[in-house]
Amino acid sequence: MTSSQIGYVFLCVFVAGIPGSKLGGMIGLKINPLRSALLCLVVFIINTSLAALIMTGEESQHLMYLFAAIWGVCLGWLHPTNAALYCTIIPRGQESELMGLYLFSGLVFSWVPPFLFTFLNEIGASMRIGLGSLNLFFAGGFVFLKMIGDYQDAVDFALSRGVGGDDTWSSKESCDGFNGAKRLSLPELT
């Protein structure tokens, strides 16, 4: 592919991410964020597998735009859905620390898939193998998301924990008495 074709593929991914985020929001509201993220990962795996199998040479280059559009929809769908999912299952009172962990781990590990793809490309492996290797990360994400179990149970657990919940270290009384600090409600802050 020429550099301008690669640029158009990236543009296609970015533009397709816009309706993807809307689609992810609609599906997340309809079936819940966990199932939405799992469904998105399945679409990612299918699209990446088909791209690795179908795109065999220059004669199939035109299909790259189709696959790029689907990747864009999936990226626009998955990232906000993952953030919404994570935010809804964080125990109350731990939002800052766990959101920091979420962002940190995302940044720390974001280099691994491109590194694997580049490594396979540089050692002379087929581009199809490099592209297919990305499915390892989608499948890993799927497995870890399945470990959450039932979404509503996870939300109920998160709501029962933290400030005002069963944890003695973060109960409302211990927070109110911590260094004499007063807990403010939202109207008091404005």
Side-chain angles (χ1 to χ4, degrees), residues 9-137:
V9 167
F10 277 110
L11 180 65
C12 188
V13 169
F14 293 138
V15 170
I18 297 168
S21 64
K22 185 71 174 166
L23 176 69
M26 291 186 319
I27 292 174
L29 288 174
K30 185 116 177 130
I31 62 175
N32 80 40
L34 177 60
R35 288 186 183 148
S36 178
L38 290 170
L39 179 61
C40 182
L41 287 172
V42 168
V43 173
F44 246 132
I45 290 170
I46 291 169
N47 188 56
T48 305
S49 298
L50 287 174
L53 293 173
I54 293 173
M55 295 188 38
T56 56
E58 290 194 28
E59 66 279 353
S60 58
Q61 259 184 0
H62 63 283
L63 292 173
M64 175 53 89
Y65 299 104
L66 172 67
F67 291 119
I70 296 171
W71 280 316
V73 167
C74 288
L75 285 171
W77 173 1
L78 188 62
H79 289 290
T81 301
N82 279 344
L85 169 64
Y86 194 73
C87 288
T88 57
I89 63 173
I90 292 176
R92 303 301 160 241
Q94 294 182 287
E95 292 92 347
S96 296
E97 64 190 276
L98 292 178
M99 204 59 201
L101 178 66
Y102 171 78
L103 294 171
F104 175 75
S105 60
L107 291 172
V108 167
F109 293 113
S110 65
W111 61 271
V112 178
F115 173 76
L116 177 62
F117 181 84
T118 303
F119 175 76
L120 291 171
N121 186 48
E122 291 300 317
I123 64 169
S126 167
M127 193 66 87
R128 296 168 77 180
I129 292 172
L131 194 55
S133 71
L134 299 178
N135 281 335
L136 294 172
F137 300 100

Side-chain angles (χ1 to χ4, degrees), residues 32 34 88-89 148-159:
N32 80 40
L34 177 60
T88 57
I89 63 173
I148 292 174
D150 182 64
Y151 173 72
Q152 195 56 51
D153 289 345
V155 170
D156 292 343
F157 179 78
L159 290 174

